[in-house]
Amino acid sequence: METILHSRALLCCLLLLASVAVAIKDGTSSNACDYPGLAVVLSTKDAVICNAVFLSSNQFIVPEICGAAMNTFLKKSALKLSYNQVPVNITIPVGTLGVLGDGVYSFTLDTPIQNSCSSVARVYDSKTMTLDLTTCQVVGYGAATSSSKIFDGVLNAAAVNKSASSSCCLAIWDSLTKTEKGTTYKDASYNCLTSTGATCGTGDVGAPVYCKTDSGERVLTALTSSTPCVGGGMFLAHDLTAGATDFKFGY
């Protein structure tokens, strides 16, 4: 019963946020082909649910708030995934269920994506990669106005100029405001980030944080989990770096 109530609460949060879905505030228009694995989850009527990232041709991940809501939706209705600069849509069939692990849901499709303009995402590995910390960006989809919740293909990116690291984010957890935390839970790995823009509404839930390596490859480091919509303010993201201590800058 507790799990059902939790999922319903997350679904209600997403539906409320959907009425104010906007793209990343103060971001710049960007090309989806430049961001490996990037996709967006939509309702059958093209309402933005959240961002997603493909880690393989048939597996994608989303943050907990989105994955729990998707599981609820998918019991009764199909959803869609859209990817590419010129959008390509595929169906997520009724009955598809995501699996939760450390605050991130993983979904597996029966049919792999095809004709993608970019490769699938590679997650940052501190043992084999070195990040150029001046290149980190948060990238998100959303509608063109704050009153809309319909996908229009607009993708915005903003520089990430501060990263506390997952260990420091945990240390300051109790000092974070409700706005900064959003609907996140302490029992997952988060990073506390600051951007030149702001993550806002469902259009930016799950917005991936990419950084380039010293070889120029753009790799995945986090998924946005809170969207306070405060320019230059702190937001939370699910840490995908296995707590890498070198993903810390600006502090």
Side-chain angles (χ1 to χ4, degrees):
M1 176 62 72
E2 183 178 350
T3 300
I4 294 173
L5 291 175
H6 182 217
S7 295
R8 287 177 178 172
L10 290 174
L11 176 59
C12 288
C13 287
L14 273 179
L15 292 175
L16 287 171
L17 285 170
S19 65
V20 292
V22 296
I24 288 178
K25 182 179 179 180
D26 298 326
T28 57
S29 181
S30 300
N31 190 316
C33 300
D34 294 332
Y35 300 93
L38 183 64
V40 59
V41 181
L42 308 171
S43 74
T44 54
K45 295 184 179 180
D46 289 338
V48 175
I49 305 299
C50 67
N51 295 269
V53 180
F54 277 95
L55 299 184
S56 72
S57 62
N58 69 336
Q59 180 196 29
F60 66 91
I61 56 174
V62 297
E64 179 178 4
I65 183 175
C66 182
M70 287 175 63
N71 276 354
T72 300
F73 273 118
L74 288 165
K75 290 177 181 179
K76 297 182 178 180
S77 175
L79 293 173
K80 296 194 299 185
L81 269 174
S82 183
Y83 61 96
N84 274 5
Q85 180 65 15
V86 178
V88 175
N89 295 329
I90 56 176
T91 299
I92 308 174
V94 174
T96 303
L97 290 177
V99 178
L100 177 64
D102 193 24
V104 174
Y105 272 86
S106 174
F107 288 81
T108 301
L109 301 174
D110 292 333
T111 303
I113 56 173
Q114 297 179 348
N115 302 318
S116 175
C117 63
S118 71
S119 61
V120 297
R122 285 219 299 164
V123 177
Y124 173 60
D125 181 354
S126 61
K127 295 179 180 178
T128 60
M129 302 174 183
T130 301
L131 291 178
D132 178 351
L133 299 176
T134 66
T135 64
C136 298
Q137 292 180 305
V138 58
V139 188
Y141 281 102
T145 68
S146 61
S147 61
S148 176
K149 61 181 181 182
I150 301 302
F151 176 66
D152 61 1
V154 174
L155 176 69
N156 281 348
V160 173
N161 52 15
K162 291 184 180 181
S163 170
S165 79
S166 59
S167 59
C168 288
C169 191
L170 178 61
I172 65 172
W173 180 269
D174 291 337
S175 68
L176 299 178
T177 67
K178 291 182 179 179
T179 300
E180 290 168 339
K181 289 180 181 177
T183 56
T184 54
Y185 298 88
K186 192 175 181 179
D187 58 349
S189 298
Y190 297 102
N191 197 345
C192 298
L193 304 172
T194 301
S195 170
T196 56
T199 53
C200 298
T202 55
D204 292 328
V205 170
V209 177
Y210 292 96
C211 303
K212 289 184 179 180
T213 66
D214 57 358
S215 65
E217 179 185 8
R218 186 167 267 143
V219 294
L220 182 65
T221 60
L223 291 180
T224 297
S225 51
S226 73
T227 55
C229 207
V230 178
M234 182 180 291
F235 65 98
L236 293 184
H238 288 289
D239 176 67
L240 301 177
T241 70
T245 56
D246 59 342
F247 188 46
K248 179 179 180 178
F249 55 94
Y251 289 99

